[in-house]
Amino acid sequence: MREYLFRRLSLLLFMLLTLTAFTFSLNYLFPGDVLTNLSGQVNSSYAQSQALADKYQLEENIIVQYGAFLGRIVDGDWGYSLSSGQPVFEHILLLFPATIELCVYALVVAIVLGIPAGVIAAVFHKRWPDKVINSLTLMGFSIPIFWLALLLIMVFCLGLGLFPMSGRIGLLYEIEPYSHFILVDIIAQGFPYGGFAFIDALKHLALPTIVLAMYPTTVLIRFTRDSMLNVLEQNYIKTARAKGLNRRQLILHHALRNALLPVIKQIGLQFSTLLTLAMITEVIFSWPGVGRWLIESIYQRDYPAIQGGLLAVSMFVIFANMFAEFSHTVLNPISRNQAHGKI
Amino acid sequence: MAKFKLFSEESNRSPLSRLWKKFKANHPALVGLWIFIALTLLALFAPLISPYSINQQHADALLLPPSWHDAGDVRFILGTDDLGRDILSRLMNGATFTFGLSIIAALITTVLGVIIGSLAGMSKGIRSSFFNHLLDITLSIPSLLLAIIIIAILGPGLLNTVWAIILALLPQYVHSIRNLVVEELSKDYISAFRLDGASKWKILVRGVFPNIYEHIVVIFTMALSTAILDIAALGFLKLGAQPPTTEWGAILAENLGLIYLAPWTVGLPGVLLFIAVLSTNLVGDGLRQVLKDRKAD
């Protein structure tokens, strides 16, 4: 186990180093001045740019420059946004929780709906529940997410007026940002405004969560179904059947545990896609998260912000993957013996 | 669960014809295939068969609803937009950009993915580990973010989007191909082939590829559906195709302001996108199922 941890951690280190190297090389690849791309300072005077070049060690060779870049990343000095003039790191600290919040709720919805649906589809293989779930999944899988968001807005916001169209919470309510997770903040402050703020926040969350959950739900349904079907073909299930267990016992006690193991790994792999979709969802619902900020940064050619966003989002995905794989290993005795970080 | 065959029928057909026979029996997949072929033909010949040109404006017919509506006009079957352009013609031409370019992007990805994937699959030791972990990193960057970075470097535009999508699709593609190659290489007949003195190239071309090309087609359909969605999403975010290019996502974004006044201008491009992706997925799913069934018997 210790060797496994060591291997995983060295792999993590390698991945983070490569990621930062890629981010660093973007300074040279992006159009414009390297110093501006690095620091986010425009129109600086001669003395200022000399000081900056000194700070970023631009006169030295590329390895030293990269070392200086790494040092600043670790220190939390990620440069200044070209459009707002604020430090990029502060933007990310402020905006990332909103994205994570949305992603986590969507993932929870996906797990709560997807896994039972997948199990049902596998248990009733080739009968009508399987067929219904399968065709619905295929449709959910194929629907362009921005179109789905627009359809929901057309029906529920413009047509029925049930849900608000944009933002995290109504302008009437003022919630002190404490952890930047809006529901957590509201609960921590003891449901201000007689609980109405909480309900309002939930209403704001409803549509973006549904839109964002659509894709991971379908993926989880398909994956759970396939994994469950594989397990049900195994010999130990046949043995259990031969021993006279009924269907319910068979599925709940014997098949489910083994079928869900690969699903845990799959959940970790979903984060990368989830963040891609979150970016689109955030733009449509004006959700003040890191995705919308990134898209706006590209409209404004805000290169330091794009780099910072890339670094933060990819690190998050790497850590999420690592965490999922780690919990998979803890739960699955077979994969513990594979010392190599297998993919 | 044991399966009994009451009538054992010997089938001496070629693998491909057995594949087609099973595929034919799967009706949704067959319908998907027909739609897929129709869209491909549309993508090729849209400028020839569309009733109007894409930028032709009809000042007497602004924002007409589709023709089955009371206020509609039969000259414009799917209505017109705020500049009086025929939506049917624009959508037909959109197939060339969204669907046609996606096919090209997926094809280029296939070629690159097969080359890199088989290199990664054939290599061993530290080189293989390097390939894999390098791919892991690209997998951890969300595809849209990767596309955004490439667009930040190259500038927005339809062709740059295609490059971005190819690069964003490639890691997963290479991963799947590598797994296929590794799985095939571990089989006994390949060992026998190697013992017979076949070179690496021979093993790859004669041994591995004939056995995995059907799976590559399945991966191709998956890549294609992602490519369609990505091109449209980038067009929708105004990072890909720029108006007046008739890419479906761009049309959708262009008409977003009309969502209240003329919902069909927003709804119809989405319907087409949905149909295109659905047909691709139907074909891919059907093919995967058929491959599984053929392996079973």
Side-chain angles (χ1 to χ4, degrees), chain A residues 11 18 30-31 138-139 141-142 146-147 150 154 222 238 272 276 279 294-295 298-299 301 310 314 317-318 343, chain B residues 1 132-133 136-137 139-140 142-144 148-149 152 156 233 237 252 267 270 274 277-278 281-282 285 288:
Chain A
L11 181 63
T18 325
F30 281 148
L138 204 63
M139 276 159 77
F141 201 61
S142 312
F146 48 92
W147 188 58
L150 290 175
M154 267 202 260
R222 286 161 76 106
K238 286 178 193 162
S272 171
T276 297
M279 287 165 80
L294 265 170
I295 304 258
I298 176 99
Y299 292 149
R301 302 289 180 270
L310 164 73
S314 308
V317 173
I318 289 177
I343 36 169
Chain B
M1 330 270 147
N132 285 332
H133 294 317
D136 265 7
I137 294 155
L139 270 178
S140 73
S143 64
L144 188 64
I148 282 178
I149 287 164
L237 292 173
L252 224 158
F274 178 60
V277 180
L278 187 66
N281 281 339
L282 276 174
D285 253 29
R288 198 187 351 238

Side-chain angles (χ1 to χ4, degrees), chain A residues 8 11 14-16 18-19 22 26 29-31 126 134-135 138-147 150-151 153-154 158-159 215 222 225-226 229-230 232-233 237-238 241 271-273 275-277 279-280 283-284 294-295 298-299 301 303 306 309-311 313-314 317-318 321 341 343, chain B residues 1-3 129-130 132-134 136-146 148-156 172 175 178-179 222 225 229-230 232-234 236-239 248-249 252 256 259-260 263 266-271 273-275 277-279 281-282 285 288-289 292-293:
Chain A
R8 290 285 14 161
L11 181 63
F14 170 74
M15 285 176 77
L16 290 180
T18 325
L19 183 68
F22 176 61
L26 286 180
L29 291 172
F30 281 148
K126 287 190 175 165
N134 237 349
S135 16
L138 204 63
M139 276 159 77
F141 201 61
S142 312
I143 203 161
I145 173 168
F146 48 92
W147 188 58
L150 290 175
L151 283 185
I153 285 180
M154 267 202 260
L158 300 176
Y215 184 81
R222 286 161 76 106
R225 175 177 173 272
D226 288 353
L229 284 178
N230 271 340
L232 287 178
E233 292 271 302
I237 295 287
K238 286 178 193 162
R241 268 168 73 92
F271 266 96
S272 171
T273 330
L275 278 163
T276 297
L277 299 177
M279 287 165 80
I280 301 174
V283 170
I284 294 175
L294 265 170
I295 304 258
I298 176 99
Y299 292 149
R301 302 289 180 270
Y303 298 119
I306 297 175
L310 164 73
L311 212 53
V313 168
S314 308
V317 173
I318 289 177
N321 280 351
I343 36 169
Chain B
M1 330 270 147
K3 298 178 191 83
S129 155
F130 178 75
N132 285 332
H133 294 317
L134 201 68
D136 265 7
I137 294 155
T138 23
L139 270 178
S140 73
I141 302 175
S143 64
L144 188 64
L145 189 55
L146 198 61
I148 282 178
I149 287 164
I150 292 163
I151 287 163
I153 296 171
L154 298 174
Q172 282 180 20
H175 231 301
R178 191 200 78 98
N179 288 346
M222 271 153 61
S225 71
L229 287 176
D230 277 3
L234 285 170
F236 178 75
L237 292 173
K238 303 192 177 74
L239 296 172
W248 289 336
L252 224 158
L256 209 51
I259 189 169
Y260 217 42
V266 178
L268 290 171
V271 171
L273 271 173
F274 178 60
I275 290 175
V277 180
L278 187 66
S279 70
N281 281 339
L282 276 174
D285 253 29
R288 198 187 351 238
Q289 191 59 45
K292 219 190 215 167
D293 289 352

Side-chain angles (χ1 to χ4, degrees), chain B residues 60-77 79-80 264:
Chain B
D60 55 327
L62 298 182
L63 282 178
L64 276 185
S67 58
W68 56 85
H69 196 273
D70 285 342
D73 188 333
V74 82
R75 282 187 300 153
F76 309 105
I77 294 174
T80 56
W264 62 90

Side-chain angles (χ1 to χ4, degrees), chain A residues 17-262:
Chain A
L17 274 181
T18 325
L19 183 68
T20 45
F22 176 61
T23 318
F24 174 69
S25 66
L26 286 180
N27 286 306
Y28 284 89
L29 291 172
F30 281 148
D33 183 36
V34 177
L35 194 57
T36 311
N37 288 346
L38 267 167
S39 63
Q41 309 280 11
V42 270
N43 303 327
S44 46
S45 71
Y46 180 72
Q48 277 171 332
S49 44
Q50 280 304 312
L52 279 176
D54 212 35
K55 182 179 163 198
Y56 293 105
Q57 299 184 331
L58 273 191
E59 311 295 327
E60 308 283 335
N61 66 24
I62 203 102
I63 307 287
V64 178
Q65 282 182 37
Y66 173 59
F69 176 80
L70 266 188
R72 287 189 307 106
I73 294 292
V74 175
D75 280 347
D77 172 13
W78 293 23
Y80 288 83
S81 159
L82 286 177
S83 58
S84 71
Q86 301 291 316
V88 169
F89 195 61
E90 271 175 31
H91 274 296
I92 290 172
L93 279 187
L94 212 66
L95 295 171
F96 214 161
T99 305
I100 294 179
E101 192 176 25
L102 192 60
C103 287
V104 167
Y105 297 147
L107 207 55
V108 168
V109 170
I111 291 170
V112 167
L113 292 178
I115 290 179
V119 172
I120 290 172
V123 170
F124 295 98
H125 185 43
K126 287 190 175 165
R127 271 178 283 167
W128 67 265
D130 183 28
K131 280 177 186 157
V132 169
I133 289 175
N134 237 349
S135 16
L136 283 181
T137 319
L138 204 63
M139 276 159 77
F141 201 61
S142 312
I143 203 161
I145 173 168
F146 48 92
W147 188 58
L148 175 70
L150 290 175
L151 283 185
L152 290 180
I153 285 180
M154 267 202 260
V155 175
F156 289 105
C157 305
L158 300 176
L160 301 173
L162 284 177
F163 295 107
M165 228 167 93
S166 63
R168 283 176 99 182
I169 191 160
L171 296 172
L172 286 173
Y173 309 102
E174 198 177 314
I175 303 296
E176 199 68 38
Y178 184 67
S179 64
H180 295 289
F181 293 97
I182 195 117
L183 290 188
V184 177
D185 278 347
I186 293 175
I187 293 169
Q189 286 162 38
F191 298 101
Y193 304 100
F196 283 113
F198 190 71
I199 294 170
D200 192 57
L202 280 184
K203 276 189 172 176
H204 276 88
L205 260 172
L207 288 186
T209 311
I210 292 171
V211 168
L212 191 53
M214 182 57 95
Y215 184 81
T217 311
T218 55
V219 172
L220 278 187
I221 290 177
R222 286 161 76 106
F223 204 81
T224 314
R225 175 177 173 272
D226 288 353
S227 154
M228 193 75 180
L229 284 178
N230 271 340
V231 169
L232 287 178
E233 292 271 302
Q234 308 261 321
N235 280 335
Y236 78 96
I237 295 287
K238 286 178 193 162
T239 315
R241 268 168 73 92
K243 275 161 68 185
L245 292 187
N246 63 27
R247 234 175 134 70
R248 198 187 143 86
Q249 286 170 319
L250 195 71
I251 284 156
L252 287 183
H253 297 295
H254 292 254
L256 198 57
R257 288 181 194 195
N258 279 315
L260 287 188
L261 273 175

